[in-house]
Amino acid sequence: MSCSPSDRLVQTLTIEAPGVTDGMLKLALFNTMDEFYKRTNAWKHEQDITLEEDTYNYDVDIPNGSAVVRLMLVTHQGVPVPSATQQAAVTQSSVGTLLPELTFPDGDAAFLPAQTDMDPSGIFSYAVYRPNYISVTGVPDEQARTYPMRALWALTVAKGCLECECGDWDMMPEWHWDQFFQDWLDGTLGRLMSMPAKPWGNKEGAILHSKRFRNAMALRMQESRRGYVFAVPGWRFPRGWV
Amino acid sequence: MPALDTVGQYLEEARRLLQDERTPYRYPDDDLIDALNIGMLEARRLRADLFLPLFDIPWVDPADPTAAKAKAVTMDPMYRQSLVYYVVGRAQLRDDESTTDSRAAALLTKFTQQMLVIAS
């Protein structure tokens, strides 16, 4: 008998949802993981992109069996690169924004376009219009092209793994199975138990597990931002408040 | 106890419950194969998840029972016995001196119950 990182979860689900078929269990688990990753950004992947002259679009390179949720961050030489929608004090091309406070009432520019056209790295800004390539605006200069641009993607599971019978569920890092075990268990049980006219249907169980899953996703979303470190809130009320 | 992998094994188990194991049979093979086909339609109506991922409903040609008996039946092992109950119940719906309506109804109800609830 072969061992798989998903064994513990599948075994627990099979016991807690009696009568559930393998196909149904797999589908509910997949949907749970998809929702979990899309909400929490818990699966991150770094990609180094080598900049090239006169090239503005770069393909996304992510692991097999994964799909892009969103682009979290782009850095170049260790410095965050602003996205097209974050750019301030600049007049933008078709991918950018023009803020009202940057113009005089008569429409004249209240900034110096020549100084705002490029940042020191030579990269103007970036944008993602479709989740399979990243666009940069401006022409990266020769010095900028000597360093790779680093993109941090949030990923989810790709539906291709359900459609083919590959049987592989090892596309995400293996530690996710242990770290998110209870969360995926609750999410899958919540989905299964809320189904009408099924032997494993259980209204009270569905409410309980769905609530636990939502709470777990809120926690994981915080962890995704701050790391797995105890007591590092990003913000709190000042002492004596309230 | 057969593993209920093939049409032939379904028929064998159904005949055991029908007490119809000696030829000439009271219930011909093609009648029981028809019942199995209709049972699949019922299962698809009640439990689409049994037919994941493509939701294709298997169908066996009753015109050639010998070839049909060797054909595999794709069904989750937990629900194979329910399908036997359906075949037997449907066969006994026939107006026959050896059967009773209540037994047929009980078997068909058992099929539905096993598909839908855990305590059945």
Side-chain angles (χ1 to χ4, degrees):
Chain A
M1 183 182 165
S2 62
C3 293
S4 160
S6 62
D7 283 352
R8 179 185 172 208
L9 188 56
V10 171
Q11 286 165 358
T12 312
L13 285 168
T14 306
I15 292 166
E16 296 204 21
V20 69
T21 56
D22 292 346
M24 187 70 258
L25 193 153
K26 194 175 162 186
L27 182 62
L29 178 57
F30 178 89
N31 290 338
T32 298
M33 291 163 73
D34 188 36
E35 182 185 359
F36 177 86
Y37 282 131
K38 281 179 174 167
R39 286 249 187 117
T40 63
N41 304 319
W43 184 4
K44 297 194 202 72
H45 172 76
E46 278 189 342
Q47 178 191 1
D48 282 347
I49 299 168
T50 305
L51 297 167
E52 295 167 19
E53 191 175 8
D54 294 333
T55 303
Y56 299 97
N57 296 325
Y58 297 90
D59 289 335
V60 173
D61 182 21
I62 54 174
N64 280 338
S66 66
V68 167
V69 177
R70 58 185 67 87
L71 179 57
M72 306 286 292
L73 178 70
V74 169
T75 57
H76 186 252
Q77 292 180 254
V79 178
V81 178
S83 72
T85 51
Q86 287 174 324
Q87 284 283 20
V90 292
T91 182
Q92 296 276 359
S93 65
S94 60
V95 298
T97 54
L98 182 62
L99 302 176
E101 59 266 31
L102 301 177
T103 56
F104 291 111
D106 62 359
D108 283 353
F111 51 86
L112 299 173
Q115 290 180 9
T116 57
D117 194 39
M118 304 276 275
D119 76 359
S121 72
I123 300 173
F124 181 67
S125 63
Y126 67 90
V128 177
Y129 300 108
R130 275 196 297 250
N132 56 357
Y133 69 86
I134 178 171
S135 302
V136 295
T137 60
V139 182
D141 62 25
E142 192 175 349
Q143 187 191 357
R145 292 197 301 271
T146 58
Y147 298 97
M149 184 173 74
R150 179 164 288 182
L152 182 66
W153 299 98
L155 303 179
T156 185
V157 284
K159 67 185 177 69
C161 270
L162 268 186
E163 289 162 355
C164 71
E165 285 292 326
C166 61
D168 292 335
W169 282 64
D170 56 357
M171 54 283 213
M172 74 285 286
E174 192 172 328
W175 60 268
H176 284 198
W177 290 101
D178 288 328
Q179 185 75 15
F180 306 135
F181 167 80
Q182 193 62 52
D183 313 347
W184 293 348
L185 178 66
D186 281 320
T188 311
L189 284 175
R191 279 176 182 273
L192 288 171
M193 289 180 175
S194 63
M195 291 178 183
K198 296 287 185 296
W200 56 83
N202 180 332
K203 193 176 169 186
E204 293 79 15
I207 293 168
L208 170 71
H209 289 292
S210 298
K211 199 175 284 183
R212 281 168 56 104
F213 181 54
R214 281 198 302 277
N215 290 341
M217 282 198 294
L219 172 68
R220 298 304 184 188
M221 206 184 301
Q222 298 289 317
E223 284 183 340
S224 169
R225 204 171 294 149
R226 298 170 190 164
Y228 300 97
V229 179
F230 178 69
V232 281
W235 183 89
R236 67 180 178 184
F237 280 105
R239 186 184 295 270
W241 184 268
V242 183
Chain B
M1 169 79 182
L4 300 177
D5 289 325
T6 62
V7 174
Q9 291 175 342
Y10 273 89
L11 265 53
E12 190 182 325
E13 181 64 10
R15 290 197 183 286
R16 188 171 295 142
L17 297 178
L18 288 165
Q19 295 191 333
D20 185 26
E21 297 179 90
R22 292 192 176 181
T23 52
Y25 295 133
R26 281 180 285 126
Y27 300 95
D29 281 344
D30 52 347
D31 281 6
L32 296 184
I33 292 170
D34 273 336
L36 184 63
N37 284 331
I38 296 168
M40 285 291 187
L41 300 179
E42 281 292 288
R44 171 66 179 80
R45 179 177 69 84
L46 295 168
R47 289 284 305 278
D49 61 290
L50 291 170
F51 301 89
L52 278 167
L54 300 175
F55 301 107
D56 287 342
I57 303 172
W59 182 82
V60 183
D61 185 1
D64 184 3
T66 309
K69 282 179 183 176
K71 200 166 175 184
V73 179
T74 310
M75 175 60 67
D76 189 284
M78 289 185 285
Y79 297 96
R80 291 179 185 178
Q81 183 59 43
S82 313
L83 210 49
V84 173
Y85 288 146
Y86 185 87
V87 173
V88 176
R90 186 167 181 86
Q92 295 206 320
L93 279 179
R94 200 170 69 177
D95 187 13
D96 191 319
E97 63 184 12
S98 66
T99 68
T100 63
D101 286 347
S102 60
R103 181 174 154 83
L107 286 162
L108 293 176
T109 302
K110 190 161 183 65
F111 163 78
T112 306
Q113 289 290 305
Q114 288 193 337
M115 286 284 164
L116 300 182
V117 293
I118 198 68
S120 51

